[in-house]
PDB file of all heavy atoms in Angstrom:
ATOM      1  N   GLY A 276      19.594  10.324 -41.962  1.00  0.00           N
ATOM      2  CA  GLY A 276      20.916  10.583 -42.461  1.00  0.00           C
ATOM      3  C   GLY A 276      20.877  11.260 -43.917  1.00  0.00           C
ATOM      4  O   GLY A 276      22.005  11.369 -44.513  1.00  0.00           O
ATOM      5  N   ASP A 279      21.311  16.032 -47.590  1.00  0.00           N
ATOM      6  CA  ASP A 279      21.040  16.683 -48.771  1.00  0.00           C
ATOM      7  C   ASP A 279      19.593  16.911 -49.139  1.00  0.00           C
ATOM      8  O   ASP A 279      19.015  17.983 -49.493  1.00  0.00           O
ATOM      9  CB  ASP A 279      21.744  15.967 -49.990  1.00  0.00           C
ATOM     10  CG  ASP A 279      23.330  16.256 -49.969  1.00  0.00           C
ATOM     11  OD1 ASP A 279      23.740  17.075 -49.226  1.00  0.00           O
ATOM     12  OD2 ASP A 279      23.943  15.400 -50.592  1.00  0.00           O
ATOM     13  N   LYS A 304      25.393  21.004 -42.241  1.00  0.00           N
ATOM     14  CA  LYS A 304      26.596  20.720 -43.010  1.00  0.00           C
ATOM     15  C   LYS A 304      27.461  19.827 -42.172  1.00  0.00           C
ATOM     16  O   LYS A 304      28.135  18.932 -42.616  1.00  0.00           O
ATOM     17  CB  LYS A 304      27.181  21.972 -43.378  1.00  0.00           C
ATOM     18  CG  LYS A 304      26.591  22.738 -44.381  1.00  0.00           C
ATOM     19  CD  LYS A 304      27.248  24.087 -44.755  1.00  0.00           C
ATOM     20  CE  LYS A 304      26.553  24.793 -45.975  1.00  0.00           C
ATOM     21  NZ  LYS A 304      27.230  26.042 -46.306  1.00  0.00           N
ATOM     22  N   CYS A 305      27.491  20.113 -40.764  1.00  0.00           N
ATOM     23  CA  CYS A 305      28.437  19.259 -39.857  1.00  0.00           C
ATOM     24  C   CYS A 305      27.997  17.845 -39.976  1.00  0.00           C
ATOM     25  O   CYS A 305      28.722  16.832 -40.013  1.00  0.00           O
ATOM     26  CB  CYS A 305      28.405  19.758 -38.529  1.00  0.00           C
ATOM     27  SG  CYS A 305      29.456  21.420 -38.281  1.00  0.00           S
ATOM     28  N   GLN A 306      26.522  17.564 -39.875  1.00  0.00           N
ATOM     29  CA  GLN A 306      26.031  16.355 -39.852  1.00  0.00           C
ATOM     30  C   GLN A 306      26.381  15.659 -41.257  1.00  0.00           C
ATOM     31  O   GLN A 306      26.572  14.405 -41.343  1.00  0.00           O
ATOM     32  CB  GLN A 306      24.538  16.348 -39.658  1.00  0.00           C
ATOM     33  CG  GLN A 306      23.952  15.000 -39.368  1.00  0.00           C
ATOM     34  CD  GLN A 306      24.508  14.310 -38.151  1.00  0.00           C
ATOM     35  OE1 GLN A 306      24.800  14.934 -37.158  1.00  0.00           O
ATOM     36  NE2 GLN A 306      24.697  13.053 -38.387  1.00  0.00           N
ATOM     37  N   LYS A 307      26.224  16.418 -42.300  1.00  0.00           N
ATOM     38  CA  LYS A 307      26.540  15.929 -43.679  1.00  0.00           C
ATOM     39  C   LYS A 307      28.027  15.382 -43.755  1.00  0.00           C
ATOM     40  O   LYS A 307      28.294  14.279 -44.227  1.00  0.00           O
ATOM     41  CB  LYS A 307      26.453  17.038 -44.687  1.00  0.00           C
ATOM     42  CG  LYS A 307      27.003  16.742 -46.107  1.00  0.00           C
ATOM     43  CD  LYS A 307      26.214  15.775 -46.822  1.00  0.00           C
ATOM     44  CE  LYS A 307      26.866  15.503 -48.231  1.00  0.00           C
ATOM     45  NZ  LYS A 307      26.100  14.438 -48.963  1.00  0.00           N
ATOM     46  N   PHE A 308      28.934  16.076 -43.070  1.00  0.00           N
ATOM     47  CA  PHE A 308      30.344  15.730 -43.025  1.00  0.00           C
ATOM     48  C   PHE A 308      30.482  14.381 -42.228  1.00  0.00           C
ATOM     49  O   PHE A 308      31.128  13.506 -42.653  1.00  0.00           O
ATOM     50  CB  PHE A 308      31.156  16.809 -42.240  1.00  0.00           C
ATOM     51  CG  PHE A 308      32.601  16.464 -42.011  1.00  0.00           C
ATOM     52  CD1 PHE A 308      33.541  16.630 -42.893  1.00  0.00           C
ATOM     53  CD2 PHE A 308      32.923  15.886 -40.791  1.00  0.00           C
ATOM     54  CE1 PHE A 308      34.872  16.364 -42.672  1.00  0.00           C
ATOM     55  CE2 PHE A 308      34.248  15.457 -40.551  1.00  0.00           C
ATOM     56  CZ  PHE A 308      35.297  15.739 -41.457  1.00  0.00           C
ATOM     57  N   VAL A 309      29.737  14.310 -41.028  1.00  0.00           N
ATOM     58  CA  VAL A 309      29.804  13.050 -40.267  1.00  0.00           C
ATOM     59  C   VAL A 309      29.178  11.849 -41.147  1.00  0.00           C
ATOM     60  O   VAL A 309      29.750  10.765 -41.062  1.00  0.00           O
ATOM     61  CB  VAL A 309      28.966  13.324 -39.003  1.00  0.00           C
ATOM     62  CG1 VAL A 309      28.743  11.946 -38.269  1.00  0.00           C
ATOM     63  CG2 VAL A 309      29.672  14.225 -38.062  1.00  0.00           C
ATOM     64  N   GLU A 310      28.152  12.139 -41.813  1.00  0.00           N
ATOM     65  CA  GLU A 310      27.524  10.986 -42.597  1.00  0.00           C
ATOM     66  C   GLU A 310      28.544  10.579 -43.779  1.00  0.00           C
ATOM     67  O   GLU A 310      28.616   9.388 -43.922  1.00  0.00           O
ATOM     68  CB  GLU A 310      26.340  11.478 -43.338  1.00  0.00           C
ATOM     69  CG  GLU A 310      25.155  11.955 -42.317  1.00  0.00           C
ATOM     70  CD  GLU A 310      24.656  10.807 -41.384  1.00  0.00           C
ATOM     71  OE1 GLU A 310      24.874   9.694 -41.791  1.00  0.00           O
ATOM     72  OE2 GLU A 310      24.116  11.100 -40.289  1.00  0.00           O
ATOM     73  N   LEU A 311      29.391  11.481 -44.299  1.00  0.00           N
ATOM     74  CA  LEU A 311      30.272  11.040 -45.244  1.00  0.00           C
ATOM     75  C   LEU A 311      31.441  10.192 -44.619  1.00  0.00           C
ATOM     76  O   LEU A 311      31.850   9.186 -45.194  1.00  0.00           O
ATOM     77  CB  LEU A 311      30.851  12.244 -45.906  1.00  0.00           C
ATOM     78  CG  LEU A 311      29.942  13.038 -46.900  1.00  0.00           C
ATOM     79  CD1 LEU A 311      30.661  14.362 -47.230  1.00  0.00           C
ATOM     80  CD2 LEU A 311      29.764  12.228 -48.139  1.00  0.00           C
ATOM     81  N   VAL A 312      31.841  10.586 -43.476  1.00  0.00           N
ATOM     82  CA  VAL A 312      32.835   9.786 -42.727  1.00  0.00           C
ATOM     83  C   VAL A 312      32.251   8.380 -42.389  1.00  0.00           C
ATOM     84  O   VAL A 312      32.858   7.380 -42.458  1.00  0.00           O
ATOM     85  CB  VAL A 312      33.382  10.480 -41.472  1.00  0.00           C
ATOM     86  CG1 VAL A 312      34.293   9.546 -40.615  1.00  0.00           C
ATOM     87  CG2 VAL A 312      34.052  11.832 -41.749  1.00  0.00           C
ATOM     88  N   LYS A 313      31.042   8.369 -42.094  1.00  0.00           N
ATOM     89  CA  LYS A 313      30.305   7.153 -41.604  1.00  0.00           C
ATOM     90  C   LYS A 313      30.229   6.133 -42.614  1.00  0.00           C
ATOM     91  O   LYS A 313      30.328   4.953 -42.403  1.00  0.00           O
ATOM     92  CB  LYS A 313      28.885   7.596 -41.032  1.00  0.00           C
ATOM     93  CG  LYS A 313      28.162   6.401 -40.288  1.00  0.00           C
ATOM     94  CD  LYS A 313      26.898   6.961 -39.804  1.00  0.00           C
ATOM     95  CE  LYS A 313      26.149   5.851 -38.968  1.00  0.00           C
ATOM     96  NZ  LYS A 313      24.949   6.460 -38.376  1.00  0.00           N
ATOM     97  N   THR A 314      30.103   6.590 -43.893  1.00  0.00           N
ATOM     98  CA  THR A 314      30.073   5.688 -45.050  1.00  0.00           C
ATOM     99  C   THR A 314      31.440   5.481 -45.686  1.00  0.00           C
ATOM    100  O   THR A 314      31.475   5.016 -46.693  1.00  0.00           O
ATOM    101  CB  THR A 314      29.123   6.384 -46.106  1.00  0.00           C
ATOM    102  OG1 THR A 314      29.586   7.602 -46.497  1.00  0.00           O
ATOM    103  CG2 THR A 314      27.663   6.410 -45.676  1.00  0.00           C
ATOM    104  N   ALA A 315      32.521   5.804 -44.898  1.00  0.00           N
ATOM    105  CA  ALA A 315      33.974   5.622 -45.367  1.00  0.00           C
ATOM    106  C   ALA A 315      34.265   6.451 -46.536  1.00  0.00           C
ATOM    107  O   ALA A 315      35.281   6.029 -47.265  1.00  0.00           O
ATOM    108  CB  ALA A 315      34.135   4.018 -45.647  1.00  0.00           C
ATOM    109  N   SER A 316      33.460   7.470 -46.837  1.00  0.00           N
ATOM    110  CA  SER A 316      33.980   8.451 -48.000  1.00  0.00           C
ATOM    111  C   SER A 316      34.958   9.446 -47.326  1.00  0.00           C
ATOM    112  O   SER A 316      34.512  10.715 -47.334  1.00  0.00           O
ATOM    113  CB  SER A 316      32.683   8.975 -48.499  1.00  0.00           C
ATOM    114  OG  SER A 316      31.738   8.003 -48.894  1.00  0.00           O
ATOM    115  N   ILE A 317      35.989   9.124 -46.908  1.00  0.00           N
ATOM    116  CA  ILE A 317      36.967  10.073 -46.191  1.00  0.00           C
ATOM    117  C   ILE A 317      37.363  11.161 -47.141  1.00  0.00           C
ATOM    118  O   ILE A 317      37.466  12.237 -46.802  1.00  0.00           O
ATOM    119  CB  ILE A 317      38.112   9.268 -45.672  1.00  0.00           C
ATOM    120  CG1 ILE A 317      37.690   8.171 -44.788  1.00  0.00           C
ATOM    121  CG2 ILE A 317      39.136  10.213 -45.009  1.00  0.00           C
ATOM    122  CD1 ILE A 317      36.901   8.556 -43.452  1.00  0.00           C
ATOM    123  N   THR A 318      37.605  10.737 -48.465  1.00  0.00           N
ATOM    124  CA  THR A 318      38.176  11.837 -49.394  1.00  0.00           C
ATOM    125  C   THR A 318      36.990  12.918 -49.688  1.00  0.00           C
ATOM    126  O   THR A 318      37.305  13.957 -49.650  1.00  0.00           O
ATOM    127  CB  THR A 318      38.576  11.212 -50.678  1.00  0.00           C
ATOM    128  OG1 THR A 318      39.598  10.203 -50.426  1.00  0.00           O
ATOM    129  CG2 THR A 318      39.046  12.200 -51.669  1.00  0.00           C
ATOM    130  N   ASP A 319      35.800  12.351 -49.816  1.00  0.00           N
ATOM    131  CA  ASP A 319      34.630  13.160 -50.037  1.00  0.00           C
ATOM    132  C   ASP A 319      34.452  14.041 -48.802  1.00  0.00           C
ATOM    133  O   ASP A 319      34.106  15.316 -48.892  1.00  0.00           O
ATOM    134  CB  ASP A 319      33.456  12.399 -50.284  1.00  0.00           C
ATOM    135  CG  ASP A 319      33.509  11.619 -51.683  1.00  0.00           C
ATOM    136  OD1 ASP A 319      34.326  12.057 -52.505  1.00  0.00           O
ATOM    137  OD2 ASP A 319      32.681  10.796 -51.940  1.00  0.00           O
ATOM    138  N   ALA A 320      34.673  13.413 -47.644  1.00  0.00           N
ATOM    139  CA  ALA A 320      34.471  14.247 -46.411  1.00  0.00           C
ATOM    140  C   ALA A 320      35.410  15.389 -46.215  1.00  0.00           C
ATOM    141  O   ALA A 320      35.152  16.467 -45.908  1.00  0.00           O
ATOM    142  CB  ALA A 320      34.503  13.333 -45.201  1.00  0.00           C
ATOM    143  N   LEU A 321      36.674  15.096 -46.718  1.00  0.00           N
ATOM    144  CA  LEU A 321      37.753  16.090 -46.641  1.00  0.00           C
ATOM    145  C   LEU A 321      37.454  17.301 -47.551  1.00  0.00           C
ATOM    146  O   LEU A 321      37.607  18.415 -47.146  1.00  0.00           O
ATOM    147  CB  LEU A 321      39.088  15.434 -46.864  1.00  0.00           C
ATOM    148  CG  LEU A 321      40.288  16.304 -46.787  1.00  0.00           C
ATOM    149  CD1 LEU A 321      40.426  16.814 -45.306  1.00  0.00           C
ATOM    150  CD2 LEU A 321      41.558  15.485 -47.188  1.00  0.00           C
ATOM    151  N   MET A 322      37.096  16.814 -48.750  1.00  0.00           N
ATOM    152  CA  MET A 322      36.774  17.871 -49.833  1.00  0.00           C
ATOM    153  C   MET A 322      35.559  18.705 -49.325  1.00  0.00           C
ATOM    154  O   MET A 322      35.535  19.908 -49.572  1.00  0.00           O
ATOM    155  CB  MET A 322      36.561  17.179 -51.125  1.00  0.00           C
ATOM    156  CG  MET A 322      37.724  16.583 -51.716  1.00  0.00           C
ATOM    157  SD  MET A 322      37.302  15.674 -53.294  1.00  0.00           S
ATOM    158  CE  MET A 322      36.686  16.972 -54.278  1.00  0.00           C
ATOM    159  N   PHE A 323      34.557  18.061 -48.802  1.00  0.00           N
ATOM    160  CA  PHE A 323      33.370  18.675 -48.293  1.00  0.00           C
ATOM    161  C   PHE A 323      33.642  19.765 -47.192  1.00  0.00           C
ATOM    162  O   PHE A 323      33.127  20.876 -47.116  1.00  0.00           O
ATOM    163  CB  PHE A 323      32.251  17.732 -47.744  1.00  0.00           C
ATOM    164  CG  PHE A 323      31.058  18.411 -47.317  1.00  0.00           C
ATOM    165  CD1 PHE A 323      30.019  18.710 -48.225  1.00  0.00           C
ATOM    166  CD2 PHE A 323      30.810  18.642 -45.977  1.00  0.00           C
ATOM    167  CE1 PHE A 323      28.889  19.243 -47.788  1.00  0.00           C
ATOM    168  CE2 PHE A 323      29.658  19.164 -45.592  1.00  0.00           C
ATOM    169  CZ  PHE A 323      28.644  19.593 -46.479  1.00  0.00           C
ATOM    170  N   GLY A 324      34.561  19.208 -46.328  1.00  0.00           N
ATOM    171  CA  GLY A 324      35.001  20.043 -45.189  1.00  0.00           C
ATOM    172  C   GLY A 324      35.612  21.352 -45.582  1.00  0.00           C
ATOM    173  O   GLY A 324      35.444  22.482 -45.088  1.00  0.00           O
ATOM    174  N   LEU A 363      29.573   9.148 -34.650  1.00  0.00           N
ATOM    175  CA  LEU A 363      29.000   8.460 -35.725  1.00  0.00           C
ATOM    176  C   LEU A 363      27.692   7.710 -35.340  1.00  0.00           C
ATOM    177  O   LEU A 363      27.104   7.140 -36.164  1.00  0.00           O
ATOM    178  CB  LEU A 363      29.997   7.447 -36.264  1.00  0.00           C
ATOM    179  CG  LEU A 363      31.344   8.001 -36.645  1.00  0.00           C
ATOM    180  CD1 LEU A 363      32.259   6.797 -37.196  1.00  0.00           C
ATOM    181  CD2 LEU A 363      31.207   8.975 -37.872  1.00  0.00           C
TER     182      LEU A 363
END
Side-chain angles (χ1 to χ4, degrees):
D279 286 341
K304 289 180 178 180
C305 287
Q306 190 61 39
K307 167 70 175 178
F308 175 87
V309 170
E310 299 297 338
L311 288 170
V312 175
K313 191 173 182 178
T314 57
S316 304
I317 302 301
T318 301
D319 291 342
L321 186 58
M322 292 176 61
F323 180 84
L363 304 176

